[in-house]
Amino acid sequence: MKRSTDNDSSFVEILEMIGENLRHFRKEKGFRSHADFAAKYKLPSIHYWRMEKGRTNMTLKSLHRVLSIHSLTLGDLFSKRMARAHQISDVASRRKRRGR
């Protein structure tokens, strides 16, 4: 019996929240596209795109690298101030509407 679907769903939501925050930080820096941001900081473009979309199981090392570009820590990323609670609830609402 596999009961990991709730855990898998929670994990996906966390990845999506991280991605939305990374996109927000990128735009705050004045970059309109993920490709321009990745090129400027010598990041693999497709990997960074996947991070923003929440479609990769990123390593802490790659996340740390991107956060250091923004002068942020992991703690900053997960703090209530930076997490932007309205986005977390938006992601959850979209997932419920899609039936996940």
Side-chain angles (χ1 to χ4, degrees):
M1 287 205 240
K2 185 178 177 187
R3 294 196 158 199
S4 64
T5 54
D6 288 341
N7 290 337
D8 291 346
S9 177
S10 296
F11 184 70
V12 169
E13 287 177 17
I14 291 168
L15 290 176
E16 288 176 350
M17 182 272 299
I18 291 170
E20 288 180 16
N21 284 328
L22 293 178
R23 186 171 32 262
H24 171 78
F25 301 142
R26 170 182 50 84
K27 289 181 177 182
E28 273 190 343
K29 277 193 156 323
F31 290 90
R32 295 182 74 201
S33 77
H34 77 278
D36 291 341
F37 179 83
K40 165 81 174 165
Y41 293 103
K42 297 179 174 55
L43 301 168
S45 182
I46 191 69
H47 181 64
Y48 183 74
W49 176 83
R50 286 179 181 147
M51 289 174 76
E52 279 196 4
K53 294 293 183 183
R55 294 186 179 168
T56 187
N57 187 3
M58 67 193 83
T59 64
L60 285 174
K61 184 177 181 178
S62 62
L63 180 58
H64 181 276
R65 183 175 177 199
V66 172
L67 290 176
S68 68
I69 292 168
H70 297 293
S71 300
L72 298 171
T73 66
L74 283 171
D76 294 332
L77 180 67
F78 290 106
S79 72
K80 288 182 182 180
R81 176 175 51 87
M82 299 303 281
R84 299 180 358 229
H86 68 279
Q87 284 193 345
I88 294 170
S89 64
D90 288 348
V91 169
S93 295
R94 284 194 306 265
R95 292 183 92 22
K96 284 181 184 175
R97 284 193 301 264
R98 286 188 255 164
R100 288 187 185 177

